[in-house]
Amino acid sequence: MALGGLCPPAGFCTLRRMSASVIKQETSSAQLVEVCLNRIRQAPAHSSCSFVQVYGSEAQASAADLDAKLRSSIETTRHGPLTGIPVAVKDLLDVAGQPTWGGRPPSENEAMASEDAIVVSRLKAAGAIVLGKTHLTELACVGHGYNHHYKAPTSPFKRSESGDGYLPGGSSSGSAVAVADGLVPVALGTDTGGSIRIPAAWCGVVGFKPSFGRVPLRGCQPLGNVSLDTIGPIGRCVEDCAVVFRVLADIAEPSKPSECPQIAKMRFIIPAYCLENLDTEVEGSFEAAVSAIEQAGATVHRLGTLDPILKELQDLMTVTFHTEAAASLQHFLKDERGKSLGFVVRSRIEQGSKTSAVEYLHAQQRRHLLCAEIDAMTKSYDGVLMPTVRCAPILLSEAQASDEALQQAAHKCSLNTRLGNLLGRCAASLPCNRSDIPVGIMVMGEKGGDEYCLDVAMAIEAVLSACGLGVDSRQRSDSHAKRRRIMGA
């Protein structure tokens, strides 16, 4: 089986087709696993370091066992939607018998997980093969993607032989880089303020943040698990993310794929606040995407009526995120591990530790009232559109040279994404760049409306693809079908 290139197009088709190929024994899970392992081995450092743990022998054994069962099974046997698919999971999720470092320095004394996180268990039950764990920012606390404890993976959009390149976004940085570089077809991330969607936007892939509460969190190291944390997929297309979301949320796979809704009948709203202080290339790519959506027949309303509420929600996010993070992570300040914490992470924990219970509860009361107002104002729309990230990524060399640049990136990159976490809503980020600077467009759905939000995102994806938006320059000469082809024999 040919390995293909390490850069996109990665030679993967959709998860459905890949899994069907394994079930029909047109290919094998062992072959898919070996292709991914070879790609990780052969990848340059700025790509291969997207993995912090690789379970080579374990994955090969699991794949061989699955293939043997397929050869001996009868035709009526039901198989999971991820049968034979290699997957990666963020190193915030427990895998039985393995350590969970959570973006901290690896330690020989780290306790091994006694059981899989629920989402990992569900992946395995659906037939997936866990290939390893991926890089993240320290304690999943920041969105720029840089972690001083580890080698730094970079976005595939700009890389030099010296190792410099754009930061990949975070905190689920490794998952996005691994998918973008074709090291694995799909990966799991977590999202407390944008940690799935930011790296998806900066690496040119699709990321889906489920509504709060739709996916169980047990076995995931907490950050804002009181009201903000979610777990979701990062993939190469919306369809793949939808398949994985259904597995994570324990939703039965439909007997046949649903038809993509007609975008010409859709209505969207763009809050003016979410367009403030955009980088030039972000603004240009986003407006090109919106124009394409309008030309496809959708109705787009740009409104400022949401702005006062959204701005107040930003203030409430500071109280909510820092306080919940401090509740989860404060113990790191009290032992030797606290000495190695980065400035931004330490300052956020310390700030949250100073919040009183009264202040936090008052913030939540106000938050619930504002969420109800937003829900009432957007319920007649099919989605809320905005740039996923307002700024383009900074270079790794800039991040390493300047704490101030890192702090600014950490603040600005999540201004739009964190709104979805405060509202408890689902949201998908799709690549919409028109050049070699990565840009994402985000569609936010209603709370609990995850399935429809994915349908809407699929309709938007089709429009963007037809217009050549969201395509890496290395892919522009390849057809849409070719970008989704199965691994070549």
Side-chain angles (χ1 to χ4, degrees):
M1 180 176 290
L3 292 182
L6 286 173
C7 295
F12 295 122
C13 70
T14 63
L15 297 182
R16 277 199 184 96
R17 288 179 56 198
M18 202 184 307
S19 180
S21 181
V22 172
I23 293 168
K24 294 175 183 177
Q25 299 178 51
E26 297 169 348
T27 187
S28 70
S29 179
Q31 286 177 304
L32 298 181
V33 165
E34 192 57 32
V35 165
C36 291
L37 291 174
N38 279 334
R39 287 179 173 175
I40 295 169
R41 295 184 194 109
Q42 296 171 13
H46 52 228
S47 175
S48 62
C49 67
S50 59
F51 279 87
V52 295
Q53 299 177 34
V54 178
Y55 310 139
S57 58
E58 296 95 331
Q60 289 170 326
S62 296
D65 182 59
L66 185 148
D67 290 332
K69 290 178 179 177
L70 287 173
R71 287 192 294 269
S72 62
S73 67
I74 58 176
E75 292 185 5
T76 56
T77 301
R78 295 185 64 183
H79 302 289
L82 298 177
T83 295
I85 304 297
V87 301
V89 300
K90 184 178 182 177
D91 188 26
L92 210 62
L93 302 169
D94 286 345
V95 174
Q98 305 293 343
T100 301
W101 295 320
R104 293 175 288 108
S107 170
E108 295 180 357
N109 300 321
E110 196 75 35
M112 302 297 172
S114 60
E115 62 181 4
D116 290 330
I118 292 179
V119 291
V120 173
S121 178
R122 288 180 177 177
L123 286 178
K124 292 179 178 179
I129 307 295
V130 178
L131 206 61
K133 288 192 180 184
T134 54
H135 177 282
L136 66 151
T137 55
E138 188 177 32
L139 298 176
C141 264
V142 288
H144 46 55
Y146 179 68
N147 186 335
H148 65 285
H149 298 303
Y150 291 83
K151 291 182 180 178
T154 55
S155 166
F157 275 80
K158 184 173 185 178
R159 287 170 172 162
S160 66
E161 293 183 2
S162 67
D164 200 9
Y166 286 137
L167 289 184
S171 62
S172 307
S173 42
S175 290
V177 172
V179 171
D181 278 343
L183 306 185
V184 70
V186 71
L188 293 192
T190 66
D191 195 309
T192 305
S195 291
I196 287 172
R197 293 158 289 157
I198 296 167
W202 281 3
C203 290
V205 290
V206 177
F208 180 66
K209 170 215 168 308
S211 300
F212 182 77
R214 287 298 303 269
V215 175
L217 297 172
R218 196 179 79 191
C220 176
Q221 285 192 7
L223 179 58
N225 65 335
V226 175
S227 68
L228 300 172
D229 285 352
T230 55
I231 302 170
I234 295 175
R236 293 156 300 110
C237 63
V238 177
E239 179 186 326
D240 285 357
C241 288
V243 170
V244 176
F245 166 70
R246 281 191 288 270
V247 169
L248 302 182
D250 198 24
I251 301 169
E253 186 74 5
S255 56
K256 61 179 182 179
S258 59
E259 292 187 8
C260 185
Q262 295 297 311
I263 198 166
K265 300 178 181 179
M266 294 182 184
R267 300 172 70 248
F268 297 102
I269 183 174
I270 298 177
Y273 167 70
C274 296
L275 304 181
E276 292 182 1
N277 301 316
L278 299 183
D279 282 5
T280 301
E281 189 54 44
V282 172
E283 182 178 14
S285 291
F286 176 75
E287 291 298 342
V290 172
S291 177
I293 291 169
E294 289 180 310
Q295 289 176 22
T299 301
V300 178
H301 292 154
R302 299 167 184 262
L303 299 177
T305 52
L306 296 174
D307 291 3
I309 301 174
L310 296 178
K311 290 178 180 180
E312 186 174 352
L313 281 172
Q314 290 284 12
D315 295 333
L316 296 179
M317 180 59 169
T318 301
V319 175
T320 303
F321 173 76
H322 289 172
T323 306
E324 293 189 14
S328 299
L329 306 176
Q330 191 177 30
H331 60 282
F332 286 108
L333 299 178
K334 299 178 180 180
D335 58 29
E336 288 297 315
R337 295 173 295 183
K339 295 179 180 179
S340 66
L341 289 177
F343 173 78
V344 174
V345 175
R346 173 182 288 277
S347 63
R348 288 183 172 183
I349 297 173
E350 289 176 343
Q351 183 177 349
S353 300
K354 298 173 184 178
T355 305
S356 69
V358 171
E359 183 181 0
Y360 174 79
L361 290 174
H362 281 172
Q364 301 320 299
Q365 290 171 346
R366 183 61 181 160
R367 172 188 174 190
H368 291 313
L369 290 173
L370 295 178
C371 286
E373 289 186 43
I374 292 283
D375 291 345
M377 297 170 74
T378 63
K379 65 181 181 181
S380 64
Y381 291 90
D382 293 280
V384 181
L385 299 178
M386 63 189 77
T388 308
V389 186
R390 299 188 190 188
C391 57
I394 64 171
L395 291 171
L396 171 62
S397 55
E398 296 177 50
Q400 293 172 326
S402 170
D403 285 341
E404 182 180 355
L406 266 181
Q407 291 178 51
Q408 291 176 351
H411 169 71
K412 194 172 182 180
C413 69
S414 65
L415 285 173
N416 284 352
T417 54
R418 66 179 68 158
L419 296 171
N421 299 84
L422 275 170
L423 294 166
R425 293 187 175 198
C426 53
S429 176
L430 293 79
C432 71
N433 55 293
R434 60 178 185 175
S435 69
D436 290 341
I437 297 177
V439 179
I441 182 172
M442 183 165 61
V443 56
M444 183 168 63
E446 297 293 311
K447 184 175 182 179
D450 301 57
E451 293 87 338
Y452 185 66
C453 181
L454 285 162
D455 285 343
V456 172
M458 201 174 300
I460 293 174
E461 179 184 52
V463 171
L464 299 180
S465 178
C467 296
L469 295 172
V471 180
D472 192 316
S473 62
R474 291 165 297 184
Q475 297 171 266
R476 291 186 188 277
S477 62
D478 295 274
S479 68
H480 184 61
K482 185 177 180 182
R483 291 200 305 274
R484 290 186 170 185
R485 73 189 188 281
I486 196 165
M487 294 178 177

